[in-house]
């Protein structure tokens, strides 16, 4: 019995020492998460996404972002490094370009090309013939380790979010793994970069962001919207006018983690809420030591994203214009929306299908 007791004490001591002292990559920062109101008010639970259909992508998975090309086709980035070209009818899907890595944000460029954010590589360009060029891999001497989303201005400027300057996607085992580390730390490691193709120059436009994610520019080119995923909010950064250079909060305390932002029609900006908020993560926001201990637990015991299907549309003032959900989460982890005159194409992190919803179901 004495030996068993001694063994138990040694085991417990070892576990405590591990939980308290084992090195982990995160250095959590204390902050106060806003009180989660859940699916209430403008975000009340609904089933407006339930009628959504989908396009079979074959062997390709994870259409994280999509854009309309000059030829009217849909171009979608997928997890195996392929950018797919999808006919307007959805009947034909073929490989347009192999950019390598894991392309995320994709936007058309004025000359018929596309600009791509690739977290394993950096900022890329795809020409109309499918050839790929790397435009930017570092900023101020530091590698761009988590290129996330892009927005292209009418004058050719490119705005690129680097989700985390600390937790690179490739270095930390993938985009999801790196994002969980950055969000747990809440260390303000995200930045937004302005890149000028004409002079091949770049500068940091915004910094100190908690997982810089989706970016979108307004139709009038006056401001840029930025999703700050780790803080559950959308920022509005003025590019022109009397407030140029200033940043304000467009909408905060969202009921989920905002991902991509896409400029839609009629003054709408579409935002994907890739997963609902986690009560434990919010509760521990003021307790950095406990969050560090959580990172030492086996992966199966740490907070993980919950499957949901949820996208919203907001206007220039942050008013929620639409809230679309599918309680069954048939297409989970929705990252954003590509809006066309007749349909909404719903991008996702996982799965071999590109969901879409006819607008007639929104009437």
């Amino acid at each position: 019995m004495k030996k068993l007791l001694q063994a138990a004490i040694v085991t417990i001591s070892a576990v405590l020492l591990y939980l308290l002292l084992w090195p982990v990559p995160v250095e959590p920062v204390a902050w106060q998460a806003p009180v989660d109101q859940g699916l209430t008010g403008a975000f009340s639970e609904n089933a407006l996404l339930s009628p959504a259909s989908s396009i079979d992508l074959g062997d390709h998975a994870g259409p994280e972002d999509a854009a309309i090309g000059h030829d009217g086709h849909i171009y979608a980035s997928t997890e195996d490094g392929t950018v797919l070209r999808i006919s307007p009818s959805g009947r034909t899907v073929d490989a347009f370009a192999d950019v390598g890595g894991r392309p995320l944000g994709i936007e058309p460029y004025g000359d018929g090309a596309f600009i791509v954010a690739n977290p394993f590589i950096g900022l890329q360009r795809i020409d109309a013939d499918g050839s790929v060029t790397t435009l930017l891999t570092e900023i101020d001497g530091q590698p761009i380790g988590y290129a996330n989303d892009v927005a292209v201005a009418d004058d050719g400027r490119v705005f690129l979010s680097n989700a985390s300057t600390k937790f690179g996607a490739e270095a930390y085992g993938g985009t999801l793994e790196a994002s969980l580390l950055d969000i747990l730390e809440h260390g303000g490691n995200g930045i937004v970069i302005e890149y000028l193709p004409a002079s091949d120059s770049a500068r940091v436009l915004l910094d100190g962001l908690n997982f810089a994610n989706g970016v979108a520019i307004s139709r009038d080119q006056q401001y840029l919207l930025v999703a700050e995923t780790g803080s559950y909010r959308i920022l509005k950064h003025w590019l022109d006018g009397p407030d140029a250079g200033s940043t304000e909060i467009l909408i905060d305390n969202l009921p989920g983690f905002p991902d991509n932002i896409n400029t839609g029609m009629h003054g709408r900006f579409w935002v994907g809420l890739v997963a609902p908020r986690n009560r434990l993560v919010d509760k521990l926001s003021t307790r950095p030591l406990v969050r560090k201990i959580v990172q030492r637990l086996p992966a199966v015991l740490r907070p993980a994203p919950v499957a949901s299907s949820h996208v919203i549309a907001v206007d220039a003032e942050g008013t929620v214009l639409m809230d679309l959900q599918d309680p069954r989460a048939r297409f989970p982890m929705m990252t954003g929306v590509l809006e066309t005159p007749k349909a909404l194409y719903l991008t996702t992190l996982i799965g071999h299908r590109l969901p879409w919803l006819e607008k007639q179901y929104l009437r």
Side-chain angles (χ1 to χ4, degrees), residues 4 7 33 66 84 91 108 139 257-258 270 288 332 336 342 344 346:
L4 287 175
L84 299 176
R91 295 190 182 96
I139 181 77
F257 293 92
W270 289 97
K342 293 184 179 180
L344 304 178
L346 309 157

Side-chain angles (χ1 to χ4, degrees), residues 82-94:
T82 304
V83 172
L84 299 176
R85 177 170 49 204
I86 305 168
S87 64
S89 66
R91 295 190 182 96
T92 303
V93 178
D94 58 19

Side-chain angles (χ1 to χ4, degrees), residues 60 67-71 73-78 80-87 92-100 103 106-109 111-116 124-133:
H60 304 284
I68 296 291
H70 287 67
D71 58 2
H73 285 62
I74 300 165
Y75 291 78
S77 57
T78 63
D80 65 1
T82 304
V83 172
L84 299 176
R85 177 170 49 204
I86 305 168
S87 64
T92 303
V93 178
D94 58 19
F96 168 63
D98 182 359
V99 299
I106 181 170
E107 287 292 320
Y109 201 68
D111 57 2
F114 291 91
I115 301 295
V116 174
Q124 298 174 296
R125 171 190 169 102
I126 311 175
D127 285 311
D129 62 358
S131 58
V132 181
T133 305

